[in-house]
Amino acid sequence: RDRDVTGVQTCALPICMRRLNRAASEALQALGNSVHAVTDVTGYGLAGHSWEMAQRGGVRIRFHAASLPMYDGAFAAAHDGVRTGGHARNLDYVSGHLLTSAGVDPAFEALCLDPQTSGGLLAAVHPSVAEHLEGFTLVGEVLAGPAGVELI
């Protein structure tokens, strides 16, 4: 379990992947109407699940690449060209709906397309509570406009 696979230490992953979303779910439930949408990020990756939220809500979801949480070594592996088996399928699913700004390293897009077997929660919450959620990471914002996902 301590072997190195393309720069990613595999020993840390099983512990992180076993964490339940119960505490996060309960924290969001306590916010009531300040929570507009929630999804668990699994097989379609962050890009696919955020596209579903954007499409159903008729909004544009903008992610700040530098704010995205990731496992140690994940960016380096993606930067080196490592792609998962679901990458092509997920890219096809968001084709025409995911806009990655010029200057954003393609590794960030690859990680947003990475299917997860035990992902975290993606929540759209009212701005007045977003910065006060303990244990959550603010990764972007929801904007008016045509449905889509942006990575800046």
Side-chain angles (χ1 to χ4, degrees):
R1 293 200 179 239
D2 288 327
R3 62 191 165 92
D4 186 46
V5 180
T6 63
V8 178
Q9 290 294 333
T10 59
C11 62
L13 297 179
I15 293 168
C16 294
M17 293 178 132
R18 281 186 275 189
R19 288 188 188 139
L20 297 178
N21 288 325
R22 176 180 285 177
S25 173
E26 290 171 350
L28 292 169
Q29 288 176 35
L31 296 174
N33 291 334
S34 292
V35 178
H36 302 287
V38 179
T39 186
D40 61 331
V41 178
T42 53
Y44 286 105
L46 181 63
H49 287 284
S50 60
W51 162 237
E52 289 177 341
M53 288 174 68
Q55 181 183 38
R56 289 181 176 100
V59 296
R60 180 161 295 279
I61 298 176
R62 177 181 291 159
F63 292 105
H64 300 272
S67 298
L68 297 175
M70 59 189 78
Y71 291 119
D72 289 340
F75 183 82
H79 186 75
D80 288 344
V82 175
R83 300 294 183 264
T84 61
H87 177 87
R89 178 199 67 206
N90 289 348
L91 181 59
D92 183 57
Y93 181 68
V94 299
S95 178
H97 309 293
L98 174 63
L99 173 66
T100 302
S101 295
V104 172
D105 192 304
F108 284 113
E109 182 177 281
L111 291 169
C112 287
L113 295 165
D114 184 38
Q116 300 295 310
T117 56
S118 181
L121 297 179
L122 173 63
V125 302
H126 192 275
S128 65
V129 300
E131 293 185 17
H132 305 291
L133 284 169
E134 283 190 41
F136 288 77
T137 302
L138 183 61
V139 295
E141 58 265 345
V142 178
L143 308 167
V149 178
E150 296 178 4
L151 184 59
I152 64 170

